[in-house]
Amino acid sequence: MTISLIPSADSFRGIKKSIIGKKEVVRGTSLVKRGFAHMQKHGVIMDVTNVEQAHIAEEAGAVAVMVLDKLPFDVRKAGGVARTASVKVIEQVLDSISIPIMAKCRIGHASEALILQEVGVDMIDESEVLTPADEERHIWKWDYTTPFVNGAKNLGEALRRIEEGAAMIRTKGEPGTGNVAEAVTHIQSVNGDIRKIRSVYEDEDLQELIRVGREFRTSFELVKETGRLGRLPVVNFAAGGVSTPADAALLMNLGCDGIFVGSGVFIAEDPLERAKAIVLATTYFDDPKIVMEAQKMVDERKSMLGLDTKNLDLKMQERGPSV
Amino acid sequence: MSYEINIGILALQGDIEENIVATRDAMSSLSLNAYTSPVRYQKELESVDGLIIPGGESTVIGNLLTLKSGIRTTLQKRLIQGMPAMGTCAGMIVMAKKAYDSVVGKMNQPLLGVLDIVVERNSFGRQNESFEANLPIDGFEGEDFRGVFIRAPSATKVGTNVKILGRFAEKVVAVQQGNIIGTSFHPELSGDLRFHKLLVALIMRSRKE
């Protein structure tokens, strides 16, 4: 197997079996859900709020779009409760573009997630950008046929979300700020802890591996698999504050599998060119010459101004259940 | 160290590492000494003996092929000259003559046009319809192949020089035209190396010629 399937579920409600032409067909398996995330790798997933933006994203080379009611920057401005996007808008986007379409639901809001699954989105983001609906627990994602992506600011969070059935992880970062500092902190924290687990695994120190599992409040099985792989068992993207091609290259160089861009593209004054440039810099992240060419495609005077992450009224990364 | 063959994985977007691992596994099970590496530049394309275009998003891979000058023309030229290649899912779409989407319809996406098929994208539906199933593949002995179909395309029209290797639910899902193999599903994800071994066999044969 080229992709990890630990932990895996065979008996949960998300798995659907049927017969086509005397052959058994299985949907919603870990392989099919995580496999979808693997197809997004090295790509850029862009936040959009309407069909026009979805078209621009597709044209620019987005690997998928994330439909939401307001961009994270506007969520901050508006205040109030941020909920899942209008079903009608999601349907319009589904009918308009050929690339995968994701949408966000509130943390713990199983009913919004079921609605998104019925609408037929390709992936659900249980997201701290929206106002959490449950402060105690996240959605039990094994019960869905649609794959989920979850945010994480450290390895423990990432592994706990995988344990609940997430098929993909992204850093939380600090969405809507235009500032990558928090995303950088989160990926470095994850990387540092993976290095620790890897060395414990290589030492075959079972006792320490069990202790680490308890420290991260996750299963021994999952910690062991992380040690064996030397990386997260699922695809891991960067998210939160990406605004420029250089930002994307920075995060790819830190070992992210791909990039989410939220407000960075459509709050800026040059969305199409900027989106294209971020795609180019994500593919050639380790080639300074091409990253420079990509950076040249954008005008810093057109970047979103951004916010200082130290003095925010709302820290999205800190919302939701702590376990 | 010298290698017998050099297999490239087009590394613009998609499941690149998974194809590298599957190719390496195929080579070691054949006891061949091969170099397998990601390919993003024209120079690298010129020196490979065979190429895999991985799964991913065909619009993205196609766009990136045209963004950096030289890659697309070199790739097209080498494929026309008979370089062995395999496209899995998005890779098959990128090599096709024509593609349209099952919902949106006509697509205006860059294609290489070297594989004489018309592809319907998202032919089995969206992600919730993605599935695993066993299917027989023409020329493969033993068990059926485990097909992992993720928002999979199918070939709705097939040229006279194209051999159909596999069908599922009456749709064409695996084809071969000379040294080019195309699959709707992802052999790199199923743990079954027979498609990657078939590509290696094509490379070994074309080097003898």
Side-chain angles (χ1 to χ4, degrees):
Chain A
M1 273 309 195
T2 56
I3 75 174
S4 173
L5 297 177
I6 291 176
S8 238
D10 285 328
S11 54
F12 289 103
R13 272 183 280 173
I15 293 175
K16 305 266 185 260
K17 292 185 178 175
S18 57
I19 302 288
I20 296 182
K22 292 184 187 159
K23 298 277 184 192
E24 186 187 63
V25 166
V26 199
R27 299 188 169 90
T29 60
S30 286
L31 182 55
V32 164
K33 291 202 242 178
R34 293 192 188 183
F36 169 77
H38 278 254
M39 297 312 141
Q40 307 293 305
K41 285 172 68 184
H42 304 271
V44 180
I45 301 168
M46 298 180 196
D47 278 2
V48 301
T49 57
N50 56 46
V51 171
E52 291 72 40
Q53 291 180 348
H55 276 297
I56 292 172
E58 185 182 41
E59 188 193 334
V63 77
V65 297
M66 175 76 68
V67 185
L68 55 177
D69 178 52
K70 292 183 199 73
L71 294 172
F73 177 79
D74 294 323
V75 170
R76 287 183 185 284
K77 262 200 325 204
V81 178
R83 308 179 184 89
T84 196
S86 302
V87 170
K88 277 186 183 158
V89 174
I90 299 171
E91 281 178 341
Q92 284 164 5
V93 177
L94 285 167
D95 290 338
S96 307
I97 59 171
S98 69
I99 58 176
I101 288 144
M102 307 180 178
K104 289 182 192 287
C105 73
R106 284 181 263 176
I107 289 173
H109 207 312
S111 177
E112 279 188 355
L114 282 170
I115 289 166
L116 293 177
Q117 175 165 274
E118 282 307 309
V119 176
V121 301
D122 297 288
M123 186 171 243
I124 300 169
D125 183 1
E126 186 182 16
S127 177
E128 66 283 359
V129 166
L130 308 185
T131 312
D134 189 334
E135 297 289 351
E136 296 292 321
R137 54 186 70 71
H138 285 78
I139 295 171
W140 185 246
K141 293 165 272 282
W142 298 110
D143 282 349
Y144 294 74
T145 308
T146 311
F148 275 75
V149 56
N150 272 90
K153 52 183 188 289
N154 54 48
L155 184 62
E157 283 190 0
L159 296 180
R160 292 196 293 275
R161 299 294 84 76
I162 295 169
E163 219 169 22
E164 294 159 357
M168 179 173 172
I169 295 293
R170 55 171 175 73
T171 60
K172 283 183 175 169
E174 202 43 63
T177 60
N179 186 341
V180 284
E182 296 297 310
V184 169
T185 303
H186 297 164
I187 190 64
Q188 279 174 336
S189 164
V190 169
N191 288 346
D193 283 339
I194 288 175
R195 272 196 294 275
K196 263 188 255 167
I197 290 183
R198 176 72 185 165
S199 79
V200 174
Y201 178 86
E202 281 176 338
D203 291 344
E204 294 176 21
D205 188 343
L206 202 63
Q207 186 185 14
E208 181 61 11
L209 218 48
I210 291 170
R211 199 197 63 74
V212 171
R214 290 191 183 137
E215 189 188 316
F216 290 130
R217 290 177 286 170
T218 189
S219 72
F220 168 69
E221 189 194 20
L222 201 43
V223 169
K224 192 174 153 203
E225 178 71 350
T226 305
R228 185 182 75 80
L229 296 166
R231 59 154 291 145
L232 277 187
V234 302
V235 168
N236 185 24
F237 268 44
V242 176
S243 310
T244 68
D247 288 347
L250 175 68
L251 288 156
M252 290 300 286
N253 274 306
L254 289 172
C256 294
D257 294 316
I259 303 287
F260 278 94
V261 189
S263 315
V265 165
F266 288 105
I267 297 289
E269 289 165 37
D270 51 357
L272 179 61
E273 273 301 291
R274 186 169 294 258
K276 281 183 181 170
I278 291 173
V279 170
L280 186 60
T282 300
T283 292
Y284 291 95
F285 66 95
D286 55 348
D287 183 332
K289 189 166 177 278
I290 297 181
V291 174
M292 183 275 286
E293 282 170 25
Q295 189 74 5
K296 207 166 141 186
M297 290 162 70
V298 303
D299 181 347
E300 180 51 22
R301 283 167 292 190
K302 293 180 177 167
S303 295
M304 68 181 281
L305 180 58
L307 298 164
D308 178 6
T309 50
K310 296 283 176 288
N311 305 311
L312 293 171
D313 295 333
L314 171 64
K315 277 214 150 188
M316 287 177 174
Q317 59 175 288
E318 280 160 14
R319 300 209 274 193
S322 59
V323 289
Chain B
M1 186 157 178
S2 68
Y3 296 96
E4 287 167 84
I5 50 174
N6 177 5
I7 301 180
I9 316 294
L10 189 68
L12 298 174
Q13 190 271 319
D15 68 336
I16 298 154
E17 292 78 8
E18 296 73 5
N19 270 289
I20 292 178
V21 172
T23 309
R24 284 186 185 152
D25 289 349
M27 305 300 292
S28 64
S29 78
L30 293 166
S31 305
L32 278 169
N33 182 15
Y35 185 65
T36 311
S37 62
V39 164
R40 284 179 303 176
Y41 300 93
Q42 188 181 358
K43 265 224 167 80
E44 296 171 328
L45 259 182
E46 281 162 0
S47 62
V48 295
D49 300 308
L51 187 79
I52 295 176
I53 306 183
E57 273 307 307
S58 62
T59 48
V60 181
I61 298 173
N63 266 331
L64 283 161
L65 272 174
T66 56
L67 269 181
K68 298 305 301 168
S69 63
I71 314 180
R72 188 184 181 190
T73 40
T74 306
L75 183 50
Q76 247 166 347
K77 196 180 79 190
R78 293 219 56 202
L79 289 170
I80 291 165
Q81 286 167 350
M83 173 177 69
M86 176 161 78
T88 69
C89 194
M92 175 171 85
I93 301 170
V94 169
M95 288 198 284
K97 277 242 154 78
K98 248 186 173 174
Y100 66 92
D101 184 83
S102 61
V103 176
V104 182
K106 194 167 169 274
M107 287 300 298
N108 172 24
Q109 65 182 105
L111 301 172
L112 292 167
V114 290
L115 178 56
D116 190 9
I117 56 173
V118 176
V119 173
E120 178 178 67
R121 292 180 54 203
N122 304 316
S123 190
F124 295 89
R126 310 192 70 92
Q127 174 59 19
N128 290 345
E129 261 62 62
S130 293
F131 63 96
E132 298 178 42
N134 293 336
L135 69 155
I137 299 293
D138 195 23
F140 286 3
E141 281 166 21
E143 292 168 18
D144 280 359
F145 197 89
R146 185 69 170 171
V148 182
F149 293 79
I150 296 175
R151 289 172 45 98
S154 73
T156 49
K157 272 188 195 153
V158 173
T160 49
N161 52 346
V162 177
K163 197 164 94 184
I164 295 170
L165 297 181
R167 290 176 199 267
F168 193 82
E170 276 143 51
K171 294 184 181 200
V172 175
V173 294
V175 295
Q176 184 177 356
Q177 172 191 318
N179 279 341
I180 299 175
I181 308 160
T183 65
S184 298
F185 46 91
H186 294 279
E188 73 276 16
L189 295 188
S190 62
D192 188 332
L193 300 171
R194 283 178 287 178
F195 269 100
H196 287 78
K197 286 181 184 170
L198 173 61
L199 175 69
V200 174
L202 291 175
I203 295 172
M204 296 307 277
R205 206 183 60 199
S206 80
R207 276 167 57 96
K208 277 187 196 128
E209 278 161 9

